[in-house]
Amino acid sequence: MTDLWSWDRAFQAVPVLLEGFQITLLATALGMVVAAILGLAIAISRRSQFRIIRWPVGAMNEFIRQTPLVVQLVFAYYLFTSISPLQIGITVIGIHYATYMSEVYRAGIDGVAPGQWEATRALSMGPVRTWRAVILPQAIRSTLPALGNYAVSMFKETPFLFAISVVEMVTAAQQFGAQHFQYIEAITLAGLIFLIASYPTSLLIRKLETRLAY
Amino acid sequence: MNNVDAFIAALPGIGRGILVTLELTLGGAVFAFLIALALGLATRSRLLLVRGATRIVIEFFRGTSLLVQLFWLFYVLPLLGIRLDSLFCGILALALNYGAYGAEVVRGGISAVSIGQFEASRALNFTSWQRMRRVIFPQAWAQMVPPFTNLLIQLLKGTALATFILLHDLNFFINELRRSTGDTLFAYGIGLVIYFVIAYLLTLGMNAVEVRAKNRIAAGPTLREVMGLKPPKARSQIDQTPRSRMTGVIS
């Protein structure tokens, strides 16, 4: 029982894990950029006056939101063999979270007072100016905490990239375990690193939430 | 035609895969619900020690990733001399992870019940069990169902990870179908549609639960009224006032 947990092995595992952690962070950051932009595009096009845009976008949105991310990842991985797994991973995670984000944006946009829409019409602003100068600045403010919460939850779902052989932290931990015939240190440490990184962030977001509430 | 033949040949496997996925989903959901109730109620404990310990447990299972927990149960626990069946391993990981998320839902639902309800049940000399069972929980429950629906769908999506602890769930058989047909688009198209249908049915079921929960506290029509083809009766003004303030005590 004494060699169950070896500090030696634990220290060996740390650099390997941190290397994987960089990929985890990279995937989260870029994935979130994709999600934030695409989510907004989805939310706006679901308010389009043309049914031919609204309907397919809405249906695709629901379909992607309700099906497992892992399956989508593997699907894209086999479908686009010429693209690197990491790029596929970031794109698929980004698209998956864009469908969550679109709901958040939608709530934010619905929260803008109807008088604001009427005012832009009264001032005969075009659609671009209406969105850019009036609606979005008000809508996005209230979506910031949700954006943060989804960033944290995306961070915790990047290990799913394991499925498409991207060596992020958990894959690195698993490989390390397999090489040394001992999983306990690497996997435990990977979990702890997740906890250490995500808990303060979610505290920060909770603070932001109370700060922005008005 | 080749794809169709392969699909028909794969049907028994897919059926078994769906069964495993459903076992994981329902097993995980039941245990997650129990964990969520226990932890959610414990966050309201009067004892600082209980509250603190609960907080740590919740943040621990929320903060470490689901896949890490799954791997930990699957790869590390056997080293400690505890060997779990793969299926139970999956159910346990899902239950712990989503139970921790659900605890927040339970806590939020209970704290959303207005303070007057607590005071009223105290004034009527209810025991704390009666207060929770008859007054507070039915109202909190109506608030909890929609977020629980979201968590249930998340949990269903999480079950696809079971393939990595060598379970033969739906995800596994989709990949088998891809191998036998060589047609990724076909195999994964079908697979995703099956997941979507399961998610849709679960959502429908949960919507029914939500209607019942609201009806029970006189805040909505009965399930029969919702499902029926007759147009809903115009509700009187009294019915539209938030009844949550006056219910519970009556029953």
Side-chain angles (χ1 to χ4, degrees), chain B residues 221 225 230-240:
Chain B
E225 279 167 11
K230 266 187 286 178
K233 277 178 292 183
R235 297 198 151 251
S236 66
Q237 200 60 45
I238 299 166
D239 270 348
Q240 282 167 7

Side-chain angles (χ1 to χ4, degrees), chain B residues 102-117:
Chain B
E104 293 289 291
V105 174
V106 171
R107 190 182 59 84
I110 290 175
S111 44
V113 176
S114 76
I115 192 93
Q117 297 287 321

Side-chain angles (χ1 to χ4, degrees), chain A residues 65 74 100 156 174 182 188, chain B residues 62 65 72 75 79 157:
Chain A
R65 206 161 61 94
V74 180
Y100 299 157
K156 283 179 284 191
Q174 209 263 353
Q182 186 68 297
T188 310
Chain B
R62 270 162 37 120
S65 172
W72 209 88
Y75 287 112
L79 304 175
K157 296 196 290 182

Side-chain angles (χ1 to χ4, degrees), chain B residues 158-235:
Chain B
T159 61
L161 292 177
T163 308
F164 304 121
I165 56 167
L166 313 179
L167 274 175
H168 292 185
D169 70 330
L170 179 55
N171 185 14
F172 173 83
F173 283 105
I174 296 171
N175 204 7
E176 288 292 290
L177 184 62
R178 182 193 66 85
R179 259 181 225 157
S180 63
T181 57
D183 189 343
T184 308
L185 203 60
F186 174 75
Y188 276 86
I190 285 182
L192 286 173
V193 168
I194 296 175
Y195 271 113
F196 182 74
V197 169
I198 298 175
Y200 191 71
L201 292 177
L202 286 176
T203 310
L204 281 185
M206 287 302 281
N207 286 350
V209 172
E210 187 185 343
V211 168
R212 276 206 53 176
K214 286 208 172 120
N215 176 247
R216 233 181 116 212
I217 58 166
T222 63
L223 190 55
R224 194 173 293 230
E225 279 167 11
V226 173
M227 303 289 274
L229 293 172
K230 266 187 286 178
K233 277 178 292 183
R235 297 198 151 251

Side-chain angles (χ1 to χ4, degrees), chain A residues 4 62-63 65-68 70-72 74-75 78-79 96 100 156-157 159-160 162-163 170 174 182-184 187-188 190-191 194-195 198-199 206, chain B residues 59-60 62-68 71-72 75-76 79-80 101 153-154 157 160-161 164 171 174-175 178 184-185 188-189 192-193 195-196 199 203:
Chain A
L4 193 58
E62 281 309 294
F63 189 76
R65 206 161 61 94
Q66 308 258 23
T67 49
V70 198
V71 181
Q72 291 166 3
V74 180
F75 184 22
Y78 285 127
L79 209 55
H96 194 87
Y100 299 157
K156 283 179 284 191
E157 289 204 339
F160 290 11
F162 171 78
V170 177
Q174 209 263 353
Q182 186 68 297
Y183 289 99
I184 185 163
I187 293 183
T188 310
F194 267 109
L195 190 63
S198 69
Y199 185 56
R206 216 171 293 169
Chain B
E59 294 302 342
F60 179 80
R62 270 162 37 120
T64 53
S65 172
L66 173 62
L67 191 66
V68 176
F71 276 2
W72 209 88
Y75 287 112
V76 178
L79 304 175
L80 306 176
Y101 280 100
I153 302 303
Q154 294 283 356
K157 296 196 290 182
L161 292 177
F164 304 121
N171 185 14
I174 296 171
N175 204 7
R178 182 193 66 85
T184 308
L185 203 60
Y188 276 86
L192 286 173
V193 168
Y195 271 113
F196 182 74
T203 310

Side-chain angles (χ1 to χ4, degrees), chain A residues 45 108 132 193:
Chain A
S45 50
R132 246 189 58 82
I193 294 177

